[in-house]
Coordinates of all heavy atoms in Angstrom, one line a residue:
M1 N 45.2 162.2 341.7 CA 46.3 161.3 341.5 C 46.0 159.9 341.9 O 45.3 159.6 342.9 CB 47.5 161.8 342.5 CG 48.7 161.0 342.4 SD 50.1 161.6 343.3 CE 49.7 161.1 344.9
A2 N 46.4 158.9 341.1 CA 46.1 157.5 341.3 C 47.4 156.8 341.4 O 48.3 156.9 340.6 CB 45.2 157.0 340.1
E3 N 47.5 156.0 342.5 CA 48.6 155.1 342.6 C 48.2 153.7 342.2 O 47.2 153.2 342.6 CB 49.0 155.0 344.1 CG 49.6 156.3 344.6 CD 50.2 156.2 346.0 OE1 49.8 155.2 346.8 OE2 51.0 157.0 346.4
V4 N 49.0 153.1 341.3 CA 48.8 151.7 340.8 C 49.7 150.8 341.6 O 50.9 151.0 341.6 CB 49.0 151.6 339.3 CG1 48.8 150.2 338.8 CG2 48.2 152.7 338.6
R5 N 49.1 149.9 342.3 CA 49.9 149.0 343.2 C 49.8 147.5 342.7 O 48.8 147.1 342.2 CB 49.5 149.1 344.6 CG 49.8 150.5 345.2 CD 49.7 150.6 346.7 NE 50.1 151.9 347.1 CZ 51.4 152.2 347.5 NH1 52.3 151.3 347.5 NH2 51.7 153.4 347.9
A6 N 50.8 146.7 343.1 CA 50.7 145.3 342.8 C 49.7 144.6 343.7 O 49.6 144.8 344.8 CB 52.1 144.7 343.0
E7 N 49.0 143.7 343.1 CA 48.0 142.9 343.8 C 48.6 141.5 344.3 O 47.9 140.8 345.0 CB 46.8 142.6 343.0 CG 46.0 143.9 342.7 CD 44.8 143.7 341.8 OE1 44.4 142.6 341.6 OE2 44.2 144.7 341.4
M8 N 49.8 141.2 343.8 CA 50.4 139.9 344.2 C 51.9 140.0 344.0 O 52.4 140.9 343.3 CB 49.8 138.8 343.3 CG 50.2 139.0 341.8 SD 49.4 137.8 340.8 CE 47.7 138.4 340.8
V9 N 52.6 139.0 344.5 CA 54.0 138.9 344.2 C 54.2 138.4 342.8 O 53.5 137.5 342.4 CB 54.7 137.8 345.2 CG1 56.1 137.6 344.8 CG2 54.5 138.3 346.6
A10 N 55.0 139.1 342.0 CA 55.1 138.7 340.6 C 56.4 139.3 340.0 O 57.1 140.1 340.6 CB 54.0 139.3 339.8
N11 N 56.8 138.8 338.8 CA 57.9 139.4 338.1 C 57.3 140.4 337.1 O 56.2 140.2 336.5 CB 58.6 138.3 337.3 CG 59.3 137.3 338.1 OD1 60.0 137.6 339.1 ND2 59.0 136.0 337.9
V12 N 58.0 141.5 336.9 CA 57.6 142.5 335.8 C 58.1 141.9 334.5 O 59.3 141.9 334.3 CB 58.2 143.9 336.1 CG1 57.8 144.8 335.0 CG2 57.7 144.3 337.5
W13 N 57.2 141.5 333.7 CA 57.6 140.8 332.4 C 57.7 141.9 331.3 O 58.7 141.8 330.6 CB 56.5 139.8 332.0 CG 56.8 139.1 330.8 CD1 57.8 138.2 330.6 CD2 56.1 139.2 329.5 NE1 57.8 137.7 329.3 CE2 56.8 138.3 328.6 CE3 55.0 139.9 329.1 CZ2 56.3 138.1 327.3 CZ3 54.6 139.7 327.8 CH2 55.3 138.8 326.9
K14 N 56.8 142.8 331.2 CA 56.9 143.8 330.2 C 56.4 145.2 330.7 O 55.3 145.2 331.3 CB 56.1 143.4 329.0 CG 56.4 144.0 327.7 CD 55.9 143.2 326.5 CE 56.7 143.6 325.3 NZ 57.2 142.6 324.5
V15 N 57.1 146.3 330.4 CA 56.6 147.6 330.7 C 56.1 148.2 329.4 O 56.9 148.3 328.5 CB 57.7 148.5 331.4 CG1 57.2 149.9 331.6 CG2 58.2 147.8 332.7
L16 N 54.9 148.7 329.4 CA 54.3 149.2 328.1 C 54.2 150.7 328.0 O 53.8 151.2 327.0 CB 52.9 148.5 327.9 CG 52.9 147.0 327.9 CD1 51.5 146.5 327.8 CD2 53.7 146.5 326.7
V17 N 54.4 151.4 329.1 CA 54.3 152.8 329.1 C 55.6 153.4 329.7 O 56.4 152.8 330.3 CB 53.1 153.3 330.0 CG1 51.8 152.8 329.4 CG2 53.2 152.9 331.4
S18 N 55.7 154.7 329.5 CA 56.9 155.4 330.0 C 56.4 156.7 330.7 O 55.3 157.1 330.6 CB 57.9 155.8 328.9 OG 57.2 156.5 327.9
E19 N 57.3 157.3 331.6 CA 56.9 158.5 332.3 C 56.6 159.6 331.3 O 57.3 159.7 330.3 CB 58.0 158.9 333.2 CG 58.2 157.9 334.4 CD 59.2 158.4 335.4 OE1 59.8 159.5 335.3 OE2 59.4 157.6 336.4
G20 N 55.6 160.4 331.6 CA 55.2 161.4 330.7 C 54.1 161.0 329.7 O 53.6 161.9 329.0
E21 N 53.8 159.8 329.6 CA 52.9 159.3 328.6 C 51.5 159.4 329.1 O 51.2 159.2 330.2 CB 53.2 157.8 328.3 CG 52.5 157.2 327.1 CD 53.0 155.8 326.7 OE1 54.2 155.6 326.9 OE2 52.2 155.0 326.3
Q22 N 50.6 159.8 328.1 CA 49.1 159.9 328.4 C 48.5 158.5 328.4 O 48.8 157.7 327.5 CB 48.4 160.7 327.3 CG 48.3 162.2 327.5 CD 47.7 162.7 328.8 OE1 48.4 163.4 329.5 NE2 46.5 162.4 329.1
V23 N 47.7 158.2 329.4 CA 47.0 156.9 329.4 C 45.5 157.1 329.6 O 45.1 158.1 330.2 CB 47.6 155.9 330.4 CG1 49.0 155.5 330.1 CG2 47.5 156.5 331.8
E24 N 44.7 156.2 329.1 CA 43.3 156.2 329.3 C 42.9 155.2 330.3 O 43.6 154.2 330.5 CB 42.6 156.0 328.0 CG 42.8 157.0 326.9 CD 42.3 158.4 327.3 OE1 41.2 158.5 327.9 OE2 43.0 159.4 327.0
D25 N 41.8 155.4 331.0 CA 41.2 154.4 331.9 C 41.1 153.0 331.2 O 40.6 153.0 330.1 CB 39.9 154.9 332.4 CG 39.2 153.9 333.4 OD1 39.9 153.0 333.9 OD2 38.1 154.1 333.7
G26 N 41.7 152.0 331.8 CA 41.7 150.7 331.1 C 42.9 150.3 330.3 O 43.0 149.2 329.9
D27 N 43.8 151.3 330.0 CA 45.0 151.0 329.3 C 45.9 150.0 330.1 O 46.0 150.1 331.3 CB 45.8 152.2 329.0 CG 45.2 153.0 327.8 OD1 44.2 152.6 327.2 OD2 45.8 154.1 327.5
T28 N 46.6 149.1 329.4 CA 47.6 148.3 330.1 C 48.9 149.0 330.3 O 49.5 149.6 329.4 CB 47.8 147.0 329.3 OG1 46.6 146.3 329.1 CG2 48.8 146.0 330.0
L29 N 49.3 149.1 331.6 CA 50.6 149.8 331.9 C 51.8 148.8 331.9 O 52.8 149.1 331.3 CB 50.5 150.4 333.3 CG 49.3 151.3 333.6 CD1 49.2 151.7 335.0 CD2 49.4 152.5 332.7
V30 N 51.6 147.7 332.6 CA 52.7 146.7 332.6 C 52.0 145.3 332.6 O 50.8 145.2 332.9 CB 53.6 146.8 333.9 CG1 54.3 148.1 334.0 CG2 52.8 146.5 335.1
I31 N 52.8 144.3 332.2 CA 52.4 142.9 332.3 C 53.2 142.2 333.3 O 54.5 142.2 333.2 CB 52.4 142.3 330.9 CG1 51.5 143.0 329.9 CG2 52.0 140.8 331.0 CD1 51.6 142.5 328.5
L32 N 52.6 141.6 334.3 CA 53.3 140.9 335.3 C 53.2 139.4 334.9 O 52.3 138.9 334.2 CB 52.6 141.1 336.7 CG 52.5 142.5 337.2 CD1 51.8 142.5 338.5 CD2 53.9 143.2 337.2
E33 N 54.2 138.6 335.5 CA 54.2 137.2 335.2 C 54.3 136.5 336.6 O 55.1 136.8 337.4 CB 55.4 136.8 334.4 CG 55.4 135.3 334.0 CD 56.1 134.4 335.0 OE1 57.1 134.9 335.6 OE2 55.7 133.3 335.2
S34 N 53.3 135.6 336.9 CA 53.3 134.9 338.1 C 52.8 133.5 337.9 O 51.7 133.4 337.3 CB 52.4 135.6 339.1 OG 52.4 134.9 340.4
M35 N 53.5 132.5 338.3 CA 53.1 131.1 338.1 C 52.7 130.8 336.6 O 51.7 130.2 336.3 CB 51.9 130.7 339.0 CG 52.3 130.8 340.5 SD 50.9 130.4 341.6 CE 49.8 131.8 341.3
K36 N 53.6 131.3 335.7 CA 53.4 131.1 334.3 C 52.2 131.8 333.6 O 51.8 131.5 332.5 CB 53.4 129.6 333.9 CG 54.6 128.8 334.5 CD 55.6 128.6 333.4 CE 56.7 127.6 333.9 NZ 57.9 128.3 334.3
M37 N 51.6 132.6 334.4 CA 50.4 133.4 333.9 C 50.8 134.8 333.7 O 51.6 135.4 334.5 CB 49.2 133.4 334.9 CG 48.6 132.0 335.0 SD 47.3 131.9 336.2 CE 46.7 133.6 336.4
E38 N 50.3 135.5 332.6 CA 50.6 136.9 332.3 C 49.4 137.7 332.9 O 48.2 137.4 332.6 CB 50.7 137.1 330.8 CG 51.9 136.5 330.2 CD 52.0 136.7 328.7 OE1 51.2 137.6 328.2 OE2 52.8 136.0 328.1
I39 N 49.7 138.6 333.7 CA 48.7 139.4 334.4 C 48.8 140.9 334.0 O 49.8 141.5 334.4 CB 48.7 139.3 335.9 CG1 48.6 137.9 336.3 CG2 47.7 140.2 336.6 CD1 49.8 137.3 337.0
P40 N 47.9 141.4 333.2 CA 48.0 142.9 332.8 C 47.6 143.7 334.0 O 46.7 143.4 334.8 CB 47.0 143.0 331.7 CG 46.0 141.9 331.8 CD 46.8 140.8 332.5
V41 N 48.3 144.8 334.2 CA 48.0 145.8 335.2 C 47.4 147.0 334.5 O 48.1 147.6 333.6 CB 49.3 146.2 336.0 CG1 48.9 147.3 337.0 CG2 49.8 145.0 336.7
L42 N 46.2 147.4 334.8 CA 45.5 148.4 334.0 C 45.5 149.7 334.8 O 45.4 149.8 336.0 CB 44.1 148.0 333.8 CG 43.9 146.6 333.1 CD1 42.4 146.3 333.0 CD2 44.6 146.5 331.8
A43 N 45.4 150.8 334.0 CA 45.2 152.2 334.5 C 43.8 152.2 335.0 O 42.9 151.8 334.3 CB 45.5 153.2 333.5
E44 N 43.6 152.8 336.2 CA 42.2 152.9 336.7 C 41.7 154.3 336.5 O 40.5 154.6 336.9 CB 42.2 152.5 338.2 CG 42.5 151.1 338.4 CD 42.7 150.6 339.9 OE1 42.4 151.5 340.8 OE2 43.1 149.5 340.1
D45 N 42.5 155.2 336.0 CA 42.1 156.6 335.7 C 42.9 157.0 334.5 O 43.9 156.5 334.1 CB 42.6 157.5 336.9 CG 41.7 157.4 338.1 OD1 40.5 157.5 337.9 OD2 42.3 157.3 339.2
S46 N 42.3 158.0 333.8 CA 43.0 158.6 332.6 C 43.9 159.7 333.2 O 43.6 160.3 334.2 CB 41.9 159.2 331.7 OG 41.1 158.2 331.2
G47 N 45.0 159.9 332.5 CA 45.9 161.0 332.9 C 47.3 160.7 332.4 O 47.5 160.0 331.4
T48 N 48.3 161.3 333.0 CA 49.7 161.2 332.6 C 50.4 160.4 333.6 O 50.3 160.6 334.8 CB 50.3 162.6 332.6 OG1 49.5 163.4 331.7 CG2 51.7 162.6 332.1
V49 N 51.3 159.5 333.1 CA 52.1 158.7 334.0 C 53.2 159.6 334.5 O 54.1 160.0 333.7 CB 52.7 157.5 333.2 CG1 53.7 156.7 334.2 CG2 51.6 156.6 332.7
V50 N 53.2 160.0 335.8 CA 54.2 160.9 336.3 C 55.3 160.2 337.0 O 56.4 160.8 337.1 CB 53.5 161.9 337.3 CG1 52.6 162.9 336.6 CG2 52.8 161.2 338.5
S51 N 55.1 158.9 337.3 CA 56.2 158.2 338.0 C 56.0 156.7 337.7 O 54.9 156.2 337.8 CB 56.1 158.4 339.5 OG 57.2 157.7 340.1
L52 N 57.0 156.1 337.2 CA 57.0 154.6 336.9 C 58.1 154.0 337.8 O 59.2 154.3 337.8 CB 57.3 154.4 335.4 CG 57.1 153.0 334.9 CD1 55.6 152.6 335.0 CD2 57.5 153.0 333.4
K53 N 57.7 153.1 338.7 CA 58.5 152.6 339.8 C 59.1 151.2 339.5 O 59.8 150.7 340.4 CB 57.8 152.6 341.1 CG 57.3 153.9 341.5 CD 58.4 154.8 341.9 CE 58.0 156.1 342.5 NZ 59.1 157.0 342.8
V54 N 58.8 150.6 338.4 CA 59.3 149.3 338.1 C 60.0 149.2 336.7 O 59.8 150.1 335.9 CB 58.1 148.2 338.1 CG1 57.5 148.2 339.4 CG2 57.1 148.5 337.0
A55 N 60.8 148.2 336.6 CA 61.5 147.9 335.3 C 61.3 146.5 335.0 O 61.1 145.6 335.8 CB 63.0 148.3 335.4
E56 N 61.5 146.1 333.7 CA 61.4 144.7 333.3 C 62.4 143.9 334.0 O 63.5 144.3 334.2 CB 61.5 144.6 331.7 CG 60.4 145.2 331.0 CD 60.5 145.2 329.5 OE1 61.4 144.5 328.9 OE2 59.7 145.9 328.8
G57 N 61.9 142.8 334.5 CA 62.8 141.9 335.3 C 62.7 142.1 336.8 O 63.2 141.2 337.5
D58 N 62.1 143.2 337.2 CA 62.0 143.4 338.7 C 61.1 142.3 339.3 O 60.1 141.8 338.6 CB 61.4 144.7 339.0 CG 62.3 145.9 338.8 OD1 63.5 145.7 338.5 OD2 61.9 147.1 338.9
V59 N 61.3 142.0 340.5 CA 60.4 141.1 341.3 C 59.7 142.1 342.3 O 60.4 142.8 343.0 CB 61.1 140.0 342.1 CG1 60.2 139.2 342.9 CG2 61.8 139.1 341.1
I60 N 58.4 142.1 342.2 CA 57.6 143.0 343.1 C 56.8 142.2 344.1 O 56.4 141.1 343.8 CB 56.7 144.0 342.3 CG1 55.8 143.2 341.4 CG2 57.6 144.9 341.5 CD1 54.8 144.1 340.7
Q61 N 56.5 142.9 345.2 CA 55.7 142.3 346.3 C 54.3 142.8 346.3 O 54.1 143.9 345.8 CB 56.4 142.5 347.6 CG 57.8 142.1 347.7 CD 58.0 140.6 347.6 OE1 57.3 139.8 348.1 NE2 59.0 140.2 346.8
E62 N 53.4 142.1 346.9 CA 52.0 142.6 347.0 C 52.0 144.0 347.7 O 52.7 144.2 348.7 CB 51.2 141.6 347.8 CG 49.7 142.0 347.9 CD 48.9 141.0 348.7 OE1 49.4 139.9 348.8 OE2 47.8 141.3 349.0
G63 N 51.4 145.0 347.1 CA 51.3 146.3 347.7 C 52.3 147.3 347.2 O 52.3 148.5 347.4
D64 N 53.4 146.7 346.4 CA 54.4 147.6 345.9 C 53.8 148.6 344.9 O 52.9 148.3 344.1 CB 55.5 146.8 345.2 CG 56.5 146.2 346.2 OD1 56.3 146.3 347.4 OD2 57.4 145.5 345.7
L65 N 54.3 149.8 344.9 CA 53.9 150.9 344.0 C 54.5 150.6 342.6 O 55.7 150.3 342.4 CB 54.4 152.2 344.4 CG 53.9 153.5 343.6 CD1 52.4 153.6 343.7 CD2 54.5 154.7 344.2
I66 N 53.6 150.5 341.6 CA 54.0 150.3 340.2 C 54.1 151.6 339.4 O 55.1 151.9 338.8 CB 53.0 149.3 339.5 CG1 53.1 148.0 340.1 CG2 53.3 149.3 338.0 CD1 52.1 147.0 339.6
A67 N 53.1 152.5 339.5 CA 53.1 153.7 338.8 C 52.2 154.7 339.5 O 51.3 154.3 340.3 CB 52.6 153.5 337.4
V68 N 52.4 156.0 339.2 CA 51.5 157.1 339.7 C 51.0 157.8 338.5 O 51.8 158.2 337.6 CB 52.3 158.1 340.6 CG1 51.4 159.2 341.0 CG2 52.9 157.3 341.8
I69 N 49.7 158.0 338.4 CA 49.0 158.7 337.3 C 48.4 159.9 337.8 O 47.7 159.9 338.8 CB 48.0 157.7 336.6 CG1 48.6 156.5 336.1 CG2 47.2 158.5 335.5 CD1 47.7 155.4 335.6
E70 N 48.6 161.0 337.1 CA 48.0 162.3 337.6 C 47.1 162.9 336.5 O 47.4 162.7 335.3 CB 49.1 163.3 337.9 CG 49.1 163.8 339.3 CD 50.3 164.7 339.6 OE1 50.8 165.4 338.8 OE2 50.8 164.5 340.7

């Protein structure tokens, strides 16, 4: 099981995956926006997205859980 966490305070600009979706190592899960920059959040393992903890428009803090991949 892999937990994907935020590396910085940011807005969730776009969610590209949904729960139950298969992802590969390196796939973009969500795109964050911080200081006018778009930051892709990548899957670090292949597997299934079992839990998605953010929605478009959310403001997340450093260390917040974004998704769980199994």
Side-chain angles (χ1 to χ4, degrees):
M1 181 172 79
E3 290 185 342
V4 180
R5 294 191 175 271
E7 294 180 7
M8 66 186 70
V9 176
N11 295 312
V12 178
W13 183 67
K14 198 163 201 133
V15 177
L16 301 174
V17 297
S18 53
E19 289 184 2
E21 194 170 323
Q22 271 307 118
V23 295
E24 297 296 321
D25 183 9
D27 284 357
T28 302
L29 304 174
V30 300
I31 298 175
L32 304 179
E33 185 272 323
S34 180
M35 297 180 291
K36 306 261 188 259
M37 291 177 21
E38 292 176 17
I39 301 117
V41 176
L42 307 178
E44 295 172 11
D45 285 311
S46 298
T48 303
V49 178
V50 291
S51 182
L52 194 58
K53 300 293 187 183
V54 298
E56 291 178 12
D58 285 356
V59 176
I60 57 174
Q61 304 298 314
E62 184 177 345
D64 281 0
L65 186 61
I66 294 173
V68 177
I69 298 171
E70 238 171 40

